[in-house]
Amino acid sequence: MNSQGLSGTIPPQLGDISQLEYLSLSRNSISGTIPPETSKLTKLKNLYLYSNSISGTIAGTICDNSVSLTNEGLSGTIPPQLGGISQLTRLSLGSNSISGTIPAATGELSQLKYLHLYSNSISGTIPSDTGKLSQLDHLWLNGNSISGTIPPETSKLSQLEWLDLANNVISGTVPPQLNNLP
């Protein structure tokens, strides 16, 4: 249901669709928050709500595979519980108002391929556990307030194709180990 001219809010009754595996309501005019009842969607694997006007915070358990909530009005922090979603392959939360730090538990997302946290208000450092994300090929952290140095563990990201750390307050040098990436 991408770009269908939908408006209004996400109804709480959506949580009653117990077999729902895929939900895409992207590029519409949906507003309001993601209802807490969506946590009952235990079979939900893919959630795409990007480019709407959704606000509020991110639930600790959203879905099992792919989450795209880019270009919204989301605030709050990244819930550490996301680290427990072992099959998560895509986490796109760019262009929101998310603050706080990147939880160390993010390093437990062993299947993660895309981590898009660009254009938020994220601070702190890049967790060294990010180096455990052996499947990661996109790491977009640009446009935040991330500080510290680039962890040398980043060189363990053997699948990495795109690393964007621009417009942060990162200091130090680029770890020479990054030169060993393909």
Side-chain angles (χ1 to χ4, degrees):
M1 300 209 103
N2 292 336
S3 275
Q4 297 296 313
L6 299 174
S7 61
T9 60
I10 300 171
Q13 297 84 354
L14 185 70
D16 296 333
I17 307 173
S18 61
Q19 300 301 309
L20 188 65
E21 292 184 13
Y22 183 91
L23 178 61
S24 180
L25 299 172
S26 301
R27 290 183 253 151
N28 283 290
S29 297
I30 297 170
S31 60
T33 61
I34 300 171
E37 290 82 0
T38 58
S39 65
K40 297 189 306 186
L41 298 173
T42 58
K43 299 204 176 187
L44 190 64
K45 295 183 184 333
N46 296 286
L47 176 64
Y48 298 105
L49 301 176
Y50 61 88
S51 296
N52 280 291
S53 295
I54 295 170
S55 59
T57 58
I58 304 162
T61 54
I62 299 176
C63 71
D64 286 343
N65 193 346
S66 186
V67 177
S68 185
L69 299 169
T70 302
N71 297 324
E72 301 298 339
L74 297 174
S75 59
T77 60
I78 301 168
Q81 302 92 317
L82 287 178
I85 306 173
S86 62
Q87 297 303 308
L88 194 64
T89 60
R90 177 185 297 257
L91 181 59
S92 295
L93 302 174
S95 295
N96 281 290
S97 295
I98 297 168
S99 59
T101 61
I102 301 169
T106 306
E108 302 302 316
L109 299 171
S110 61
Q111 300 301 311
L112 197 64
K113 293 182 180 211
Y114 299 95
L115 181 57
H116 297 171
L117 302 177
Y118 59 88
S119 299
N120 279 291
S121 296
I122 297 170
S123 59
T125 60
I126 301 169
S128 59
D129 281 355
T130 303
K132 293 180 182 178
L133 302 174
S134 61
Q135 301 300 310
L136 195 67
D137 58 30
H138 283 80
L139 179 57
W140 295 358
L141 302 177
N142 53 301
N144 283 289
S145 296
I146 296 170
S147 60
T149 60
I150 301 169
E153 292 83 358
T154 309
S155 65
K156 296 177 183 174
L157 302 175
S158 61
Q159 302 299 314
L160 194 63
E161 295 177 8
W162 195 302
L163 175 63
D164 194 343
L165 304 174
N167 298 316
N168 280 291
V169 287
I170 295 171
S171 60
T173 60
V174 175
Q177 299 92 328
L178 285 179
N179 291 331
N180 299 329
L181 292 175

